[in-house]
Amino acid sequence: MLDYKYIEQLIERYFDCETTLEEERVLRAFFSQDITKVPMHLLCYRQLFLEQQMSKQDETLGEDFDNRILAIIGETAEADTNKVKARKVSLNRRLRPLYKAAASVAVVLAIGQAAQMPYSNEEQEKQQEVARSIEMLEQMKQYRNTVAQTDTAQAARQTNVNSDTKQN
């Protein structure tokens, strides 16, 4: 008969994830014995270890599992011989998506440049008109100054001529 303190220590180590596989087998064997031989304070753990034992038995697959599944879906094990061969991919083919992306960017930039052309031409024409207007105003100011200087010079000469004629 096993010492219950040892089983309690094993359970404690089990929940701390410190047990070995052999110690877990001991726990499963202990809890799989007759229910009357397990103490009352350890009965709460019995179901846990029995469930683990049942699930481990259900999880194992036989060696003929693949053949049975293939037979169910209507294929044979010989279908594995038809394997797909890898193709060699050239550098040009690898870069093809990058070429497409670069072409797309170039088209978008060209459309953007073309869309700005009419607006930039109109702006340039307006700037040229403003420059011409300013230039014409400057010329008119120079002409007025020239005319004013000529008029003052003629007036000065006229006064000189009048003063000379008066003196004589």
Side-chain angles (χ1 to χ4, degrees):
M1 192 189 263
L2 292 172
D3 185 16
Y4 297 127
K5 288 186 181 183
Y6 176 68
I7 296 296
E8 289 171 0
Q9 288 175 355
L10 283 180
I11 290 172
E12 210 172 293
R13 288 184 56 211
Y14 176 81
F15 286 117
D16 290 337
C17 300
E18 296 174 350
T19 56
T20 63
L21 292 176
E22 186 59 38
E23 290 170 338
E24 289 178 19
R25 282 190 207 111
V26 168
L27 285 171
R28 281 195 286 287
F30 174 77
F31 286 109
S32 65
Q33 67 185 348
D34 188 22
I35 196 167
T36 57
K37 295 181 180 179
V38 178
M40 290 299 282
H41 70 282
L42 296 177
L43 277 178
C44 60
Y45 301 114
R46 184 172 195 266
Q47 190 65 30
L48 172 73
F49 289 101
L50 290 178
E51 288 288 328
Q52 285 181 352
Q53 190 172 3
M54 294 292 190
S55 66
K56 283 203 173 195
Q57 290 174 354
D58 293 341
E59 289 179 9
T60 58
L61 300 176
E63 292 191 19
D64 63 335
F65 177 76
D66 290 338
N67 291 334
R68 286 186 299 157
I69 295 297
L70 289 174
I72 290 172
I73 61 173
E75 296 180 8
T76 62
E78 296 172 6
D80 290 339
T81 59
N82 298 333
K83 294 185 179 180
V84 178
K85 293 182 180 179
R87 293 184 297 167
K88 289 185 178 180
V89 180
S90 67
L91 181 63
N92 191 18
R93 181 168 257 177
R94 284 184 190 174
L95 294 177
R96 208 172 275 169
L98 294 176
Y99 295 151
K100 290 178 182 177
S104 300
V105 168
V107 167
V108 168
L109 290 176
I111 290 173
Q113 188 68 22
Q116 288 182 354
M117 286 299 254
Y119 300 117
S120 63
N121 286 343
E122 288 177 10
E123 288 177 16
Q124 286 177 356
E125 290 174 6
K126 287 179 183 178
Q127 288 175 355
Q128 288 175 355
E129 282 182 40
V130 169
R132 283 187 212 131
S133 300
I134 292 172
E135 197 174 306
M136 289 175 77
L137 288 172
E138 292 291 327
Q139 288 176 356
M140 289 174 72
K141 284 181 185 178
Q142 287 176 356
Y143 179 73
R144 283 185 195 156
N145 289 340
T146 307
V147 169
Q149 288 174 356
T150 310
D151 287 343
T152 54
Q154 284 179 352
R157 277 190 222 136
Q158 189 72 23
T159 53
N160 286 339
V161 171
N162 288 341
S163 61
D164 285 340
T165 52
K166 285 184 187 180
Q167 289 178 356
N168 291 341

